Amino acid sequence: MVSSIDAGNYLIQDTTLWRTRSKPLPNAEWSLIQDTTLCRKLLNRGHFWMWDTHFISGTFHTDRPDLPECFQLSVLSWLPCIYLWAVCPIYLFYLKKNNRGYIMMSVLNRFKTIFGLFLWIVCWTELFYTFHELRHGHNQPPIYFITPLVLGMTMLLATFLIQFERLRGVQSSGVLFIFWFLSVLCAIVPFRSKILQASSQVSTQHSPQGSAALLLPYSLILCCFNEKPPLFSNVITDPNPCPETTAGFLSTITFWWFTSMAIKGYKVSLEAKDLWSLNERDSSKVMVPNLLREWDKELCIFSHFTAALCLHPKKTWGESSPEEVEVLLSNQTAAPRKPSFLRALVKAFGPYFLIGSGFKLLQDIITFVNPQLLRMLISFIKQKGVPDWWGYSLSFLMFFTAFLQTLILHRHFQYCFVTGMNVRTAIIGALYRKALVITNAAKRSSTVGEIVNLMSVDAQRFMDLTTFLNMLWSAPLQIMLALYFLWQNLGPSVLAGVAVMIMLIPFNAVIAMKTRAYQVEQMQYKDARIKLMNEILNGIKVLKLYAWENSFKEKVLAIRQKELNVLRKAAYLGALSTMAWTSAPFLVALTTFAVYVTIDENNVLDAEKAFVSLSLFNILRFPLNMLPQVISSIVQVGTCSKSSTACVCYNGVTEGHVAFSISCVMMSWIQIQWTGRTQHQVEGIPGSLLAVVGHVGCGKSSLISALLGETEKLEGEVSIRGSVAYVPQQAWIQNATLRDNILFGKPYNEQKYRCVLEACALTPDLEVLPGGDMTEIGEKGINLSGGQRQRVSLARALYSDAEVYLLDDPLSAVDAHVSKHIFDNLIGPEGILKGKTRVLVTHGISFLPQVDNIMVMVEGRVSEMGSYQELLNQNGSFAEFLRNYALEDIVEEDEVIGEAMSLFPLPQHKTLRKHGCSQKKYSEPQEKKKPQEIEKLIQTETAETGRVKTKVYLEYVKAVGPLLSVLICFLYGCQSATAIGANIWLSQWTNDASRNETKENVNMRVGVYAALGIAQGILVMISSFTLAMGNIGAARKLHYSLLTNKLHTPQSFFDTTPIGRVINRFSKDIYVIDEALPATVLMFLGTFFVSLSTLIVIVSSTPIFAVVVFPLALIYIFVQRFYVATSRQLKRLESVSRSPIYSHFSETITGSSVIRAYGRNSAFVLMSDMKVDENQKSYYPGIVSNRWLGVRIEFIGNCIVLFAALFAVIGKENLNPGLVGLSVSYALQVTMSLNWMVRMTSDLESNIVAVERVKEYSETKTEAPWEVEDKKPPPEWPMEGNVQFQDYSVRYREGLDLVLKKLNLSVQGGEKIGIVGRTGAGKSSMTLCLFRLLEAAAGEITIDRVKIAEIGLHDLRSKLTIIPQEPVLFSGTLRMNLDPFDQCSDEDVWKALEHCHLHKFVSNQPAKLDLECAEGGENLSVGQRQLVCLARALLRKTKILVLDEATAAIDLETDNLIQSTIRTQFEECTVFTIAHRLNTVMDYTRILVLDKGQVAEFDTPTNLISQRGIFYSMAKDAGLAQ
């Protein structure tokens, strides 16, 4: 049996028959004789496919080729029919499942139906005509009956499908388009035959395809148009729907529907409002439940094997099934099959992904057609006298094959990327839902950062893997097919090449494994660096106040150095890997060719063998390189899957603790596993107020956590009946408006809202805030003071109108008079909450007489419980403490208060309430309320627009080094030159065959070819390595300048910029500069030089090609400009919309207990889903833009193949086969290079933006120098501690009002000054001015005759000490937190701990001073953290001490001890105290009362009280004056 190609070749090589025939018959006549005589015979004999040499010679060796009528009537006619009938059952099943609605009968639909029916009529007419002929005695072959019948039935089926699609809402049919296209294609040959036969006046049998050929193009054209959308379609309701849903088949496969966005993106910079809505099937509301359904099934299957879970077969997400699962995970024997997150993912997204795999299979097969066509083309060039139409046919076939391959490949990628996007959506959604119900125990085992990392990095890895997952089976398939064709071409010599490949696989695998190991190591260093940077930025104010920047800068740089060392090692490997990737096909080709020509003298390496083999080796390059990478990615994703499984299996909180019935709190014998606390036993009476008191760290907050079901219960029972409102000790504030923070999802009720604001003393604050209650609150409530945050938290609880209120020390952060106002109006017996059950943790003993019950806690146990009077009567330790503390207090505070019995008189509610409503709030520091005039404090991060400026590229070149940059380009040029040289040499070698010089030159040919190839490999390695070194140098410089600048940036910058934005520069942007940018530059240079060398080779071999280079280049640049402008902006928008997902996620984890307490889970899930969908809205067009570009650029590449082949055919007389092989094999390679070059141009623009962003933050305005050499104060300065303010004024930022106005005061060394005043009076501002966190607008401050404005900041700040309002600790040892520069001995440190009453706590720890502090000191209570800050102050031993509300979170007894420590240890120091509790400053030398930034009163406490001014009214409120 002879294939058509073999037959063609046989005939081209053996032209004797054609030449010897004296006079061939006319082609049409020959065809007719063949058909009429043979068709019946061949059908009868069953040799339907065999053509004899007479026919072949008639077809090929003529300038008017044709196919036999038998073939036309059978194969060509039946091909479209077979396709439609084969596809129909699957398609009908698909339509049955996917009903999109009903489309009204339109003019277009009528025409389609009419043409379908016409075609049916034509076919059946042909059939009846054949019967008519039969009746008249004209015997016809069976084919004339079968074909019209088959065609008629098929046309009827097509017409039925047109109508059925309309009823199912299909606007454009791919199935019918392919059918009509195939029909038109197959009808062209018969139609041409008819014309040929007509022109040669040969009578012919009427065939059905003749008439149908006229109607088929109309059906095809009509099929290209879209129907209207179905009735009741939801597309119309969407303001900006994605055109993909209504795009036609042609538009879909060529991604034409995206063109409108590409044009818009080119004309104007895209904004978020320009983006299309996300397709519903890709949205979170569809994808996340999909995955969770599969995950629940996994858990159910698991539960069948375990007795514990069999009792609860129907667990739902977020209930305790994952909790039980984790317990069971440890028991291997009990569970034959663990629940696997990966398995759930595969089940949820596998089916859709498999469609993409089908396209990949098709593409892999088509890939191998072009090398065969190249072989035939070279064979055509070699032969003389072969008609030109054959060469042209081959050229167009190569073009169509390549184009078909392009369309199929990009469909495959579309399916893969959409699957990846859906996987990411689902993983983020699943992890978010889990994070909302995660217990504190699970939270302790992984930090917020780790969970966010799991969400961002691991979800990204799953997404990246889906793109190339098909390579797992596709790569082996491609390798096998390539080897099969190579074996046919070169025989057993291929085995030598295979041996080289097998040797290269472990080499590549080792490199991949080592690279992966380095990546893991580098990630660890990167995580450590980001974690440290996060802490530095969170505690930047403390670093500045203590002048600790240098210590932390060294720490960051030490980690960075390790990170860069790993990057350098990875760069060595990367250079080797690049060399292997580039040299692999060459080495395989070299060994194969060398073995081929040496094993047998008769083996001749001609152009056909060499260049067909070379194109096959080039196909091999991709699967060989990808396979090890995909395998290592799968291993990595396996690890991610385990961590994701672990996360979704974390213990969830038991929501059953909240039951809605009578409002009361009952707790009985609970043992709570929470840093060693043991047993509580308490019962709350409905509607009563229970106060919980005790020392720092005795378990008060743990009790509240237990009531909320947040702790791990070991035994006992906890129950709360009724809805809950919770106020945590550290207020959790969302990044939203003040009103949204208070409403927290409840409907707005004006009257109720105003009442809540009044009760929480927030009304005066609204006047101060720039936008009133619509002011946007920054991350973590950055622009509210501590007291304001706490009161917003209280307002949220009050507005929720719950039945049970759990208040964890809400009064510590506010001033005495404000806490009184809140207690009286809100919490107390006469407050709004009377009649509700309230549990109040407090340190304020003045409220205890008014509560119903008091619970005293000591070291995790309830020591006493009862009413205030009962506890006093019991005369226990609590009563002792009350009397001692109170009496001591009275002695210190003068004789203002009467006898001991009236220690805590009940306040007069009326006056207080009236006072509370009308007065302005005194107290909290103003330093964070800087933005008085701008409506929005945190400006939305804007995406850059337009092209990246050349200056940015030059900045990067400057960072790399200008000389090094030139050298890199030169090396790349040399590398391309050697590659061209090697291939030209191969082309010359193959021409030896035609000159019969093969035997003499073999060694020389092989030697030079090897030398050129090896030189190319070495140059590749050197250039890659040089580039990597340049990039690492640039990364080091850019990071160093960013870090240095940020540590020198003034505090005002950090108050108006979210930390996330700065962290983004240190994480995402530095990552891009470290890793993404070098890879992009490498790829860009590589593809640029490959494309350039291709054009050089083609133009030099066929100079006429230069004519089409210009128009193709114009189209290329045109498409590239459209794509880059759009793609760049889409990437920027995607980047900007990604941050809110993670900031919302970390915000949620931080406030998960609050969200759960208020039952707001579903609202927050919805919010997260919206943010993810918003991000995917810009990511999806980004994917499509790559496909859109790929189809267009590869079309240009396919045109290059077409023209290279066409010009080779045109100039075949002057060309040798070697040059044709060279130019066409280069052209076949260029498609991918052109595509990647545009992609890399875009990536380069997107990634170079990171340099722009880092430079932007490296050049922000800096504060004054840390040290001024010629103005250094003496080492022992300040000796006395005298402080003078002279006409001192200050403002927060340019353009804002003065916060301190012409301040004049003089403080003598050793004086103790208490600073008091209302909110916004400038108390904190005054202390910040001492440290020059705020610079003077006028006037000066002098300390011991030295003007502080003239000396360096570190010289000033290292000589002052502050205990700030918020205690900030850094992760690291306790010792490091106390003394980062290691300037003190251990003895000094222990002494300091003793003085601040932490000695007992630290000495009980196994690690002693090396006790590891968690991030932000989370493993210490707030009070303990405050004490650590006091210890820091004791170690610094400076002459001037500032206390900024330093003891707000400490119980009275500890506070009392601290005050006595300050009095004794800082006896000779000048002390400035911003007072919350007036009793702490009543014994101070003088009191400074500030009002509106000016000195209102400044005298001793006794004098001020007798003057009856502002201070007197404040003292009266606090019960310290009468």
Side-chain angles (χ1 to χ4, degrees), residues 295 298-299 302 325 329 335 337-341 343 645 649:
W295 176 244
E298 280 290 304
L299 294 177
F302 185 53
V325 165
L329 280 177
R337 181 178 134 178
K338 291 184 192 176
S340 160
F341 194 61
R343 203 180 296 121
T645 306
C649 282

Side-chain angles (χ1 to χ4, degrees), residues 567-585:
L567 270 178
R568 186 177 287 105
K569 286 182 205 164
Y572 286 117
L573 282 179
L576 274 174
S577 177
T578 312
M579 186 187 76
W581 155 257
T582 314
S583 307

Side-chain angles (χ1 to χ4, degrees), residues 548 555 1368-1382 1386 1389-1390 1392-1394 1396 1398-1405 1407-1414 1417 1419-1420 1424-1429 1431-1432 1435:
W548 280 357
K555 281 183 155 193
V1368 175
L1369 265 62
F1370 300 97
S1371 59
T1373 64
L1374 184 65
R1375 177 115 181 42
M1376 185 281 294
N1377 269 292
L1378 293 170
D1379 177 28
F1381 292 98
D1382 279 335
D1386 279 6
V1389 175
W1390 279 112
L1393 289 172
E1394 202 169 329
C1396 68
L1398 270 175
H1399 188 281
K1400 184 183 172 189
F1401 169 74
V1402 178
S1403 55
N1404 285 342
Q1405 300 295 327
K1408 303 285 192 285
L1409 289 176
D1410 292 326
L1411 166 71
E1412 275 297 321
C1413 296
N1419 54 344
L1420 300 180
Q1424 286 167 330
R1425 278 178 251 166
Q1426 200 82 58
L1427 297 177
V1428 171
C1429 292
R1432 276 182 197 158
L1435 283 172

Side-chain angles (χ1 to χ4, degrees), residues 629-667:
Q629 288 189 30
V630 172
I631 290 167
S632 68
S633 289
I634 286 171
V635 171
Q636 201 177 18
V637 164
T639 315
C640 295
S641 167
K642 280 175 195 156
S643 53
S644 302
T645 306
C647 183
V648 294
C649 282
Y650 270 147
N651 290 8
V653 294
T654 317
E655 293 180 357
H657 290 173
V658 181
F660 293 81
S661 63
I662 321 151
S663 170
C664 74
V665 180
M666 295 181 304
M667 288 177 62

Side-chain angles (χ1 to χ4, degrees), residues 23 34 79 87 182 436 472 535 641 816 924 1057 1093 1122 1161 1327 1365 1454 1501:
K23 186 181 178 196
Q34 288 282 350
L79 196 68
V87 169
L182 281 174
L436 266 178
L472 203 58
E535 290 193 64
S641 167
E924 291 93 33
T1057 309
S1093 50
F1122 269 84
N1161 297 32
T1327 58
Q1365 177 188 6
T1454 316

Side-chain angles (χ1 to χ4, degrees), residues 347-364:
K347 284 181 185 170
F349 304 106
Y352 184 79
F353 182 75
L354 281 174
I355 302 170
S357 304
F359 281 113
K360 180 68 179 152
L361 180 65
L362 257 176
Q363 191 258 339
D364 283 353

Side-chain angles (χ1 to χ4, degrees), residues 189 254 289 375 428 436 446 520 574 819 882 923 1153 1192 1244 1281 1321 1428:
V189 175
T254 58
R375 181 167 67 81
I428 291 176
L436 266 178
S446 51
V520 170
S819 65
L882 271 180
S923 98
S1153 48
R1192 279 142 194 77
L1244 194 59
V1428 171

Side-chain angles (χ1 to χ4, degrees), residues 5 34 105 143 155 157 225 230 289 307 352 361 474 477 551 578 593 756 780 868 878 1288 1309 1366 1381 1427 1468 1489:
I5 292 173
Q34 288 282 350
M105 178 73 91
I143 196 84
M155 293 307 163
L157 176 66
F225 292 101
Y352 184 79
L361 180 65
S474 166
L477 175 71
S551 163
T578 312
F593 294 157
V756 166
K780 299 178 185 171
Y868 180 71
F878 179 66
Y1288 190 83
E1366 290 180 2
F1381 292 98
L1427 297 177
E1468 295 172 10
V1489 182

